[in-house]
Amino acid sequence: MSAVEAKLAELGLSLPEVVPPLAAYQPAVQSGPYVYTAGQLPMVDGKLPLTGKVGGEVTPEEAKDLARVCALNALAAVKSVTGDLDRIARVVKVVGFVASAADFTGQPAVLNGASELLGEVLGDKGVHARSAVGVAVLPLDAPVEVEIQVELTQP
């Protein structure tokens, strides 16, 4: 078990199976020392636990928890390419999309769910730049979607 997965276990979490693509793309690709994930939905056992707009059918607190799930799914996608999460030198960038009710402006707080999880699991390696974007709708009516870019250590 990698040190990252041991930290997840210490937090009462486990790395999920990689979410299968919903269309013509890969969950993650490596280019040089970087891994880029596709947008990860908060899928749990192949299903979305909640659907709808944040600030409407989904509360900001629920959406923050879903962003954590997205970050776990993103880490699983990274591992599918690298084989070992201990190769993460740092998380470079997180991009999050929040399906938002027309008057909802709390996208950054929702995305803190993903950012905080990455910090808990990876420590200083989890500190990153980030964009939090409100959108009208996401695939499958998901409330949130997260993609990450990580830099790897040299093997």
Side-chain angles (χ1 to χ4, degrees), residues 82-129:
T82 65
D84 183 1
L85 291 176
D86 288 346
R87 291 198 53 215
I88 295 174
R90 77 168 304 148
V91 177
V92 178
K93 179 88 186 252
V94 172
V95 179
F97 304 94
V98 179
S100 302
D103 61 346
F104 181 73
T105 60
Q107 293 83 5
V110 168
L111 268 296
N112 281 348
S115 294
E116 290 168 2
L117 176 98
L118 293 169
E120 290 172 40
V121 173
L122 298 167
D124 289 343
K125 295 177 184 179
V127 177
H128 53 268

mmCIF file of all heavy atoms in Angstrom, residues 82-129:
data_model
loop_
_atom_site.group_PDB
_atom_site.id
_atom_site.type_symbol
_atom_site.label_atom_id
_atom_site.label_comp_id
_atom_site.label_asym_id
_atom_site.label_seq_id
_atom_site.Cartn_x
_atom_site.Cartn_y
_atom_site.Cartn_z
ATOM 1 N N THR A 82 -0.368 5.985 -13.413
ATOM 2 C CA THR A 82 0.965 5.943 -12.797
ATOM 3 C C THR A 82 1.256 4.638 -12.076
ATOM 4 O O THR A 82 2.415 4.288 -11.894
ATOM 5 C CB THR A 82 1.129 7.075 -11.772
ATOM 6 O OG1 THR A 82 0.221 6.857 -10.682
ATOM 7 C CG2 THR A 82 0.888 8.432 -12.395
ATOM 8 N N GLY A 83 0.209 3.962 -11.619
ATOM 9 C CA GLY A 83 0.394 2.740 -10.842
ATOM 10 C C GLY A 83 0.720 2.986 -9.382
ATOM 11 O O GLY A 83 0.646 2.068 -8.568
ATOM 12 N N ASP A 84 1.080 4.216 -9.025
ATOM 13 C CA ASP A 84 1.521 4.498 -7.652
ATOM 14 C C ASP A 84 1.302 5.980 -7.338
ATOM 15 O O ASP A 84 1.951 6.838 -7.925
ATOM 16 C CB ASP A 84 3.000 4.144 -7.507
ATOM 17 C CG ASP A 84 3.546 4.335 -6.109
ATOM 18 O OD1 ASP A 84 2.790 4.727 -5.198
ATOM 19 O OD2 ASP A 84 4.757 4.091 -5.926
ATOM 20 N N LEU A 85 0.403 6.256 -6.400
ATOM 21 C CA LEU A 85 0.125 7.652 -6.041
ATOM 22 C C LEU A 85 1.291 8.317 -5.322
ATOM 23 O O LEU A 85 1.328 9.544 -5.227
ATOM 24 C CB LEU A 85 -1.144 7.734 -5.190
ATOM 25 C CG LEU A 85 -2.440 7.414 -5.929
ATOM 26 C CD1 LEU A 85 -3.626 7.441 -4.969
ATOM 27 C CD2 LEU A 85 -2.659 8.377 -7.085
ATOM 28 N N ASP A 86 2.232 7.545 -4.823
ATOM 29 C CA ASP A 86 3.410 8.137 -4.199
ATOM 30 C C ASP A 86 4.307 8.840 -5.211
ATOM 31 O O ASP A 86 5.221 9.568 -4.829
ATOM 32 C CB ASP A 86 4.207 7.092 -3.419
ATOM 33 C CG ASP A 86 3.501 6.664 -2.142
ATOM 34 O OD1 ASP A 86 2.542 7.345 -1.717
ATOM 35 O OD2 ASP A 86 3.910 5.642 -1.572
ATOM 36 N N ARG A 87 4.036 8.663 -6.491
ATOM 37 C CA ARG A 87 4.794 9.372 -7.536
ATOM 38 C C ARG A 87 4.336 10.813 -7.703
ATOM 39 O O ARG A 87 4.958 11.578 -8.440
ATOM 40 C CB ARG A 87 4.675 8.640 -8.873
ATOM 41 C CG ARG A 87 5.415 7.308 -8.871
ATOM 42 C CD ARG A 87 5.674 6.781 -10.260
ATOM 43 N NE ARG A 87 6.328 7.746 -11.111
ATOM 44 C CZ ARG A 87 6.090 7.848 -12.423
ATOM 45 N NH1 ARG A 87 5.220 7.062 -13.020
ATOM 46 N NH2 ARG A 87 6.724 8.764 -13.139
ATOM 47 N N ILE A 88 3.258 11.209 -7.043
ATOM 48 C CA ILE A 88 2.789 12.588 -7.160
ATOM 49 C C ILE A 88 3.782 13.516 -6.463
ATOM 50 O O ILE A 88 4.009 13.414 -5.263
ATOM 51 C CB ILE A 88 1.384 12.763 -6.548
ATOM 52 C CG1 ILE A 88 0.356 11.938 -7.343
ATOM 53 C CG2 ILE A 88 0.992 14.238 -6.519
ATOM 54 C CD1 ILE A 88 -1.040 11.939 -6.723
ATOM 55 N N ALA A 89 4.389 14.404 -7.249
ATOM 56 C CA ALA A 89 5.287 15.421 -6.691
ATOM 57 C C ALA A 89 4.476 16.587 -6.159
ATOM 58 O O ALA A 89 4.820 17.178 -5.138
ATOM 59 C CB ALA A 89 6.276 15.906 -7.747
ATOM 60 N N ARG A 90 3.381 16.920 -6.876
ATOM 61 C CA ARG A 90 2.470 17.966 -6.421
ATOM 62 C C ARG A 90 1.248 17.999 -7.309
ATOM 63 O O ARG A 90 1.300 17.609 -8.480
ATOM 64 C CB ARG A 90 3.144 19.329 -6.386
ATOM 65 C CG ARG A 90 3.322 19.993 -7.741
ATOM 66 C CD ARG A 90 3.715 21.446 -7.650
ATOM 67 N NE ARG A 90 2.732 22.159 -6.867
ATOM 68 C CZ ARG A 90 3.016 23.215 -6.099
ATOM 69 N NH1 ARG A 90 4.221 23.679 -6.048
ATOM 70 N NH2 ARG A 90 2.070 23.818 -5.416
ATOM 71 N N VAL A 91 0.161 18.480 -6.745
ATOM 72 C CA VAL A 91 -1.023 18.800 -7.534
ATOM 73 C C VAL A 91 -0.791 20.217 -8.046
ATOM 74 O O VAL A 91 -0.548 21.128 -7.267
ATOM 75 C CB VAL A 91 -2.312 18.728 -6.687
ATOM 76 C CG1 VAL A 91 -3.520 19.131 -7.523
ATOM 77 C CG2 VAL A 91 -2.493 17.335 -6.094
ATOM 78 N N VAL A 92 -0.815 20.374 -9.355
ATOM 79 C CA VAL A 92 -0.524 21.668 -9.959
ATOM 80 C C VAL A 92 -1.786 22.519 -10.060
ATOM 81 O O VAL A 92 -1.779 23.690 -9.696
ATOM 82 C CB VAL A 92 0.114 21.481 -11.353
ATOM 83 C CG1 VAL A 92 0.373 22.821 -12.017
ATOM 84 C CG2 VAL A 92 1.392 20.660 -11.247
ATOM 85 N N LYS A 93 -2.882 21.918 -10.536
ATOM 86 C CA LYS A 93 -4.094 22.693 -10.803
ATOM 87 C C LYS A 93 -5.324 21.834 -10.572
ATOM 88 O O LYS A 93 -5.326 20.650 -10.901
ATOM 89 C CB LYS A 93 -4.072 23.195 -12.257
ATOM 90 C CG LYS A 93 -5.280 23.993 -12.716
ATOM 91 C CD LYS A 93 -5.136 25.466 -12.431
ATOM 92 C CE LYS A 93 -6.393 26.243 -12.744
ATOM 93 N NZ LYS A 93 -6.323 27.078 -13.892
ATOM 94 N N VAL A 94 -6.341 22.448 -10.025
ATOM 95 C CA VAL A 94 -7.663 21.839 -9.886
ATOM 96 C C VAL A 94 -8.637 22.752 -10.609
ATOM 97 O O VAL A 94 -8.604 23.972 -10.423
ATOM 98 C CB VAL A 94 -8.064 21.692 -8.402
ATOM 99 C CG1 VAL A 94 -9.515 21.248 -8.264
ATOM 100 C CG2 VAL A 94 -7.133 20.730 -7.676
ATOM 101 N N VAL A 95 -9.480 22.169 -11.433
ATOM 102 C CA VAL A 95 -10.545 22.910 -12.096
ATOM 103 C C VAL A 95 -11.855 22.246 -11.691
ATOM 104 O O VAL A 95 -12.002 21.032 -11.838
ATOM 105 C CB VAL A 95 -10.390 22.908 -13.633
ATOM 106 C CG1 VAL A 95 -11.538 23.672 -14.289
ATOM 107 C CG2 VAL A 95 -9.049 23.498 -14.041
ATOM 108 N N GLY A 96 -12.765 23.054 -11.172
ATOM 109 C CA GLY A 96 -14.047 22.512 -10.743
ATOM 110 C C GLY A 96 -15.203 23.250 -11.375
ATOM 111 O O GLY A 96 -15.152 24.472 -11.569
ATOM 112 N N PHE A 97 -16.222 22.479 -11.699
ATOM 113 C CA PHE A 97 -17.433 23.023 -12.300
ATOM 114 C C PHE A 97 -18.594 22.723 -11.362
ATOM 115 O O PHE A 97 -18.742 21.592 -10.900
ATOM 116 C CB PHE A 97 -17.684 22.383 -13.664
ATOM 117 C CG PHE A 97 -16.526 22.542 -14.608
ATOM 118 C CD1 PHE A 97 -15.557 21.548 -14.710
ATOM 119 C CD2 PHE A 97 -16.391 23.689 -15.377
ATOM 120 C CE1 PHE A 97 -14.474 21.693 -15.567
ATOM 121 C CE2 PHE A 97 -15.308 23.845 -16.232
ATOM 122 C CZ PHE A 97 -14.350 22.844 -16.321
ATOM 123 N N VAL A 98 -19.410 23.728 -11.099
ATOM 124 C CA VAL A 98 -20.545 23.578 -10.197
ATOM 125 C C VAL A 98 -21.814 23.927 -10.970
ATOM 126 O O VAL A 98 -21.959 25.055 -11.454
ATOM 127 C CB VAL A 98 -20.396 24.497 -8.963
ATOM 128 C CG1 VAL A 98 -21.597 24.341 -8.032
ATOM 129 C CG2 VAL A 98 -19.091 24.198 -8.220
ATOM 130 N N ALA A 99 -22.710 22.935 -11.108
ATOM 131 C CA ALA A 99 -24.012 23.206 -11.729
ATOM 132 C C ALA A 99 -24.784 24.069 -10.737
ATOM 133 O O ALA A 99 -25.112 23.625 -9.643
ATOM 134 C CB ALA A 99 -24.745 21.902 -12.017
ATOM 135 N N SER A 100 -25.027 25.311 -11.111
ATOM 136 C CA SER A 100 -25.489 26.316 -10.159
ATOM 137 C C SER A 100 -26.875 26.842 -10.480
ATOM 138 O O SER A 100 -27.191 27.119 -11.641
ATOM 139 C CB SER A 100 -24.513 27.497 -10.162
ATOM 140 O OG SER A 100 -23.202 27.073 -9.839
ATOM 141 N N ALA A 101 -27.673 27.019 -9.412
ATOM 142 C CA ALA A 101 -28.920 27.763 -9.549
ATOM 143 C C ALA A 101 -28.552 29.186 -9.988
ATOM 144 O O ALA A 101 -27.428 29.651 -9.757
ATOM 145 C CB ALA A 101 -29.669 27.777 -8.219
ATOM 146 N N ALA A 102 -29.489 29.872 -10.609
ATOM 147 C CA ALA A 102 -29.206 31.185 -11.206
ATOM 148 C C ALA A 102 -28.609 32.182 -10.233
ATOM 149 O O ALA A 102 -27.770 32.997 -10.623
ATOM 150 C CB ALA A 102 -30.481 31.759 -11.831
ATOM 151 N N ASP A 103 -28.978 32.125 -8.958
ATOM 152 C CA ASP A 103 -28.486 33.109 -7.997
ATOM 153 C C ASP A 103 -27.394 32.571 -7.073
ATOM 154 O O ASP A 103 -26.995 33.237 -6.128
ATOM 155 C CB ASP A 103 -29.640 33.662 -7.162
ATOM 156 C CG ASP A 103 -30.344 32.581 -6.350
ATOM 157 O OD1 ASP A 103 -30.123 31.377 -6.626
ATOM 158 O OD2 ASP A 103 -31.120 32.929 -5.444
ATOM 159 N N PHE A 104 -26.869 31.364 -7.357
ATOM 160 C CA PHE A 104 -25.848 30.770 -6.486
ATOM 161 C C PHE A 104 -24.462 31.295 -6.864
ATOM 162 O O PHE A 104 -24.071 31.245 -8.031
ATOM 163 C CB PHE A 104 -25.867 29.242 -6.589
ATOM 164 C CG PHE A 104 -24.863 28.586 -5.689
ATOM 165 C CD1 PHE A 104 -25.065 28.555 -4.316
ATOM 166 C CD2 PHE A 104 -23.710 28.012 -6.207
ATOM 167 C CE1 PHE A 104 -24.135 27.969 -3.475
ATOM 168 C CE2 PHE A 104 -22.780 27.417 -5.371
ATOM 169 C CZ PHE A 104 -22.998 27.399 -4.007
ATOM 170 N N THR A 105 -23.712 31.795 -5.873
ATOM 171 C CA THR A 105 -22.379 32.348 -6.133
ATOM 172 C C THR A 105 -21.307 31.728 -5.233
ATOM 173 O O THR A 105 -20.203 32.262 -5.137
ATOM 174 C CB THR A 105 -22.377 33.874 -5.926
ATOM 175 O OG1 THR A 105 -22.757 34.167 -4.577
ATOM 176 C CG2 THR A 105 -23.323 34.563 -6.905
ATOM 177 N N GLY A 106 -21.606 30.605 -4.606
ATOM 178 C CA GLY A 106 -20.668 29.998 -3.670
ATOM 179 C C GLY A 106 -19.817 28.885 -4.250
ATOM 180 O O GLY A 106 -19.399 27.982 -3.530
ATOM 181 N N GLN A 107 -19.509 28.961 -5.537
ATOM 182 C CA GLN A 107 -18.720 27.907 -6.183
ATOM 183 C C GLN A 107 -17.377 27.655 -5.485
ATOM 184 O O GLN A 107 -16.992 26.493 -5.306
ATOM 185 C CB GLN A 107 -18.498 28.218 -7.672
ATOM 186 C CG GLN A 107 -19.753 28.187 -8.512
ATOM 187 C CD GLN A 107 -20.550 29.474 -8.465
ATOM 188 O OE1 GLN A 107 -20.143 30.474 -7.877
ATOM 189 N NE2 GLN A 107 -21.718 29.470 -9.102
ATOM 190 N N PRO A 108 -16.627 28.687 -5.086
ATOM 191 C CA PRO A 108 -15.347 28.414 -4.422
ATOM 192 C C PRO A 108 -15.488 27.581 -3.144
ATOM 193 O O PRO A 108 -14.682 26.680 -2.904
ATOM 194 C CB PRO A 108 -14.799 29.813 -4.115
ATOM 195 C CG PRO A 108 -15.401 30.677 -5.189
ATOM 196 C CD PRO A 108 -16.795 30.127 -5.360
ATOM 197 N N ALA A 109 -16.513 27.837 -2.348
ATOM 198 C CA ALA A 109 -16.709 27.063 -1.118
ATOM 199 C C ALA A 109 -17.035 25.603 -1.433
ATOM 200 O O ALA A 109 -16.592 24.691 -0.724
ATOM 201 C CB ALA A 109 -17.807 27.692 -0.266
ATOM 202 N N VAL A 110 -17.802 25.370 -2.496
ATOM 203 C CA VAL A 110 -18.101 23.991 -2.907
ATOM 204 C C VAL A 110 -16.805 23.271 -3.281
ATOM 205 O O VAL A 110 -16.546 22.158 -2.833
ATOM 206 C CB VAL A 110 -19.104 23.973 -4.088
ATOM 207 C CG1 VAL A 110 -19.192 22.577 -4.708
ATOM 208 C CG2 VAL A 110 -20.468 24.455 -3.640
ATOM 209 N N LEU A 111 -15.976 23.917 -4.079
ATOM 210 C CA LEU A 111 -14.740 23.297 -4.546
ATOM 211 C C LEU A 111 -13.721 23.115 -3.434
ATOM 212 O O LEU A 111 -12.762 22.348 -3.586
ATOM 213 C CB LEU A 111 -14.147 24.078 -5.718
ATOM 214 C CG LEU A 111 -14.610 23.576 -7.088
ATOM 215 C CD1 LEU A 111 -14.159 22.185 -7.368
ATOM 216 C CD2 LEU A 111 -16.101 23.685 -7.274
ATOM 217 N N ASN A 112 -13.912 23.804 -2.303
ATOM 218 C CA ASN A 112 -13.035 23.550 -1.159
ATOM 219 C C ASN A 112 -13.090 22.090 -0.743
ATOM 220 O O ASN A 112 -12.120 21.570 -0.188
ATOM 221 C CB ASN A 112 -13.410 24.443 0.030
ATOM 222 C CG ASN A 112 -12.881 25.845 -0.121
ATOM 223 O OD1 ASN A 112 -12.051 26.134 -0.976
ATOM 224 N ND2 ASN A 112 -13.381 26.736 0.712
ATOM 225 N N GLY A 113 -14.190 21.400 -1.006
ATOM 226 C CA GLY A 113 -14.267 19.975 -0.690
ATOM 227 C C GLY A 113 -13.157 19.195 -1.366
ATOM 228 O O GLY A 113 -12.486 18.368 -0.736
ATOM 229 N N ALA A 114 -12.918 19.452 -2.640
ATOM 230 C CA ALA A 114 -11.845 18.774 -3.370
ATOM 231 C C ALA A 114 -10.482 19.259 -2.896
ATOM 232 O O ALA A 114 -9.577 18.449 -2.636
ATOM 233 C CB ALA A 114 -11.998 19.013 -4.871
ATOM 234 N N SER A 115 -10.322 20.565 -2.768
ATOM 235 C CA SER A 115 -9.028 21.125 -2.373
ATOM 236 C C SER A 115 -8.612 20.666 -0.981
ATOM 237 O O SER A 115 -7.453 20.303 -0.753
ATOM 238 C CB SER A 115 -9.082 22.655 -2.414
ATOM 239 O OG SER A 115 -9.255 23.100 -3.740
ATOM 240 N N GLU A 116 -9.557 20.674 -0.053
ATOM 241 C CA GLU A 116 -9.240 20.248 1.314
ATOM 242 C C GLU A 116 -8.880 18.774 1.369
ATOM 243 O O GLU A 116 -7.962 18.376 2.091
ATOM 244 C CB GLU A 116 -10.409 20.570 2.243
ATOM 245 C CG GLU A 116 -10.576 22.071 2.462
ATOM 246 C CD GLU A 116 -11.882 22.456 3.130
ATOM 247 O OE1 GLU A 116 -12.689 21.553 3.491
ATOM 248 O OE2 GLU A 116 -12.110 23.671 3.293
ATOM 249 N N LEU A 117 -9.592 17.937 0.599
ATOM 250 C CA LEU A 117 -9.255 16.512 0.573
ATOM 251 C C LEU A 117 -7.837 16.305 0.058
ATOM 252 O O LEU A 117 -7.056 15.551 0.655
ATOM 253 C CB LEU A 117 -10.230 15.716 -0.286
ATOM 254 C CG LEU A 117 -9.784 14.249 -0.374
ATOM 255 C CD1 LEU A 117 -10.534 13.383 0.605
ATOM 256 C CD2 LEU A 117 -9.859 13.724 -1.764
ATOM 257 N N LEU A 118 -7.481 16.981 -1.026
ATOM 258 C CA LEU A 118 -6.133 16.829 -1.583
ATOM 259 C C LEU A 118 -5.080 17.282 -0.579
ATOM 260 O O LEU A 118 -4.024 16.655 -0.455
ATOM 261 C CB LEU A 118 -6.010 17.597 -2.902
ATOM 262 C CG LEU A 118 -6.866 17.033 -4.043
ATOM 263 C CD1 LEU A 118 -6.906 17.999 -5.216
ATOM 264 C CD2 LEU A 118 -6.385 15.662 -4.470
ATOM 265 N N GLY A 119 -5.357 18.333 0.172
ATOM 266 C CA GLY A 119 -4.434 18.782 1.206
ATOM 267 C C GLY A 119 -4.318 17.791 2.346
ATOM 268 O O GLY A 119 -3.217 17.517 2.836
ATOM 269 N N GLU A 120 -5.458 17.219 2.785
ATOM 270 C CA GLU A 120 -5.438 16.224 3.864
ATOM 271 C C GLU A 120 -4.620 15.004 3.466
ATOM 272 O O GLU A 120 -3.869 14.460 4.267
ATOM 273 C CB GLU A 120 -6.859 15.785 4.212
ATOM 274 C CG GLU A 120 -7.715 16.815 4.897
ATOM 275 C CD GLU A 120 -9.158 16.348 5.008
ATOM 276 O OE1 GLU A 120 -9.390 15.156 5.293
ATOM 277 O OE2 GLU A 120 -10.058 17.180 4.809
ATOM 278 N N VAL A 121 -4.794 14.561 2.236
ATOM 279 C CA VAL A 121 -4.172 13.327 1.776
ATOM 280 C C VAL A 121 -2.714 13.525 1.383
ATOM 281 O O VAL A 121 -1.868 12.682 1.678
ATOM 282 C CB VAL A 121 -4.980 12.732 0.594
ATOM 283 C CG1 VAL A 121 -4.273 11.553 -0.024
ATOM 284 C CG2 VAL A 121 -6.374 12.345 1.056
ATOM 285 N N LEU A 122 -2.414 14.648 0.730
ATOM 286 C CA LEU A 122 -1.082 14.841 0.149
ATOM 287 C C LEU A 122 -0.229 15.875 0.884
ATOM 288 O O LEU A 122 0.930 16.078 0.514
ATOM 289 C CB LEU A 122 -1.212 15.247 -1.321
ATOM 290 C CG LEU A 122 -1.876 14.209 -2.228
ATOM 291 C CD1 LEU A 122 -2.252 14.817 -3.565
ATOM 292 C CD2 LEU A 122 -0.967 13.003 -2.409
ATOM 293 N N GLY A 123 -0.775 16.538 1.889
ATOM 294 C CA GLY A 123 -0.013 17.556 2.614
ATOM 295 C C GLY A 123 0.391 18.685 1.681
ATOM 296 O O GLY A 123 -0.403 19.124 0.838
ATOM 297 N N ASP A 124 1.635 19.144 1.795
ATOM 298 C CA ASP A 124 2.117 20.255 0.964
ATOM 299 C C ASP A 124 2.064 19.937 -0.526
ATOM 300 O O ASP A 124 1.954 20.848 -1.351
ATOM 301 C CB ASP A 124 3.548 20.632 1.348
ATOM 302 C CG ASP A 124 3.620 21.315 2.706
ATOM 303 O OD1 ASP A 124 2.573 21.781 3.208
ATOM 304 O OD2 ASP A 124 4.727 21.369 3.273
ATOM 305 N N LYS A 125 2.142 18.655 -0.892
ATOM 306 C CA LYS A 125 2.060 18.273 -2.304
ATOM 307 C C LYS A 125 0.660 18.514 -2.876
ATOM 308 O O LYS A 125 0.479 18.525 -4.084
ATOM 309 C CB LYS A 125 2.427 16.797 -2.483
ATOM 310 C CG LYS A 125 3.860 16.489 -2.135
ATOM 311 C CD LYS A 125 4.113 15.004 -2.263
ATOM 312 C CE LYS A 125 5.518 14.642 -1.834
ATOM 313 N NZ LYS A 125 5.767 13.203 -1.943
ATOM 314 N N GLY A 126 -0.316 18.687 -1.999
ATOM 315 C CA GLY A 126 -1.689 18.900 -2.439
ATOM 316 C C GLY A 126 -2.061 20.355 -2.623
ATOM 317 O O GLY A 126 -3.165 20.660 -3.058
ATOM 318 N N VAL A 127 -1.142 21.276 -2.325
ATOM 319 C CA VAL A 127 -1.411 22.714 -2.499
ATOM 320 C C VAL A 127 -1.363 23.036 -3.995
ATOM 321 O O VAL A 127 -0.409 22.669 -4.675
ATOM 322 C CB VAL A 127 -0.380 23.556 -1.714
ATOM 323 C CG1 VAL A 127 -0.604 25.040 -1.954
ATOM 324 C CG2 VAL A 127 -0.456 23.223 -0.227
ATOM 325 N N HIS A 128 -2.380 23.736 -4.492
ATOM 326 C CA HIS A 128 -2.515 23.894 -5.937
ATOM 327 C C HIS A 128 -3.168 25.218 -6.306
ATOM 328 O O HIS A 128 -3.768 25.880 -5.472
ATOM 329 C CB HIS A 128 -3.390 22.754 -6.480
ATOM 330 C CG HIS A 128 -4.703 22.645 -5.753
ATOM 331 N ND1 HIS A 128 -4.854 21.829 -4.664
ATOM 332 C CD2 HIS A 128 -5.887 23.276 -5.925
ATOM 333 C CE1 HIS A 128 -6.090 21.948 -4.198
ATOM 334 N NE2 HIS A 128 -6.742 22.823 -4.938
ATOM 335 N N ALA A 129 -3.078 25.550 -7.583
ATOM 336 C CA ALA A 129 -3.875 26.630 -8.170
ATOM 337 C C ALA A 129 -5.247 26.040 -8.491
ATOM 338 O O ALA A 129 -5.386 24.815 -8.632
ATOM 339 C CB ALA A 129 -3.206 27.147 -9.443
#
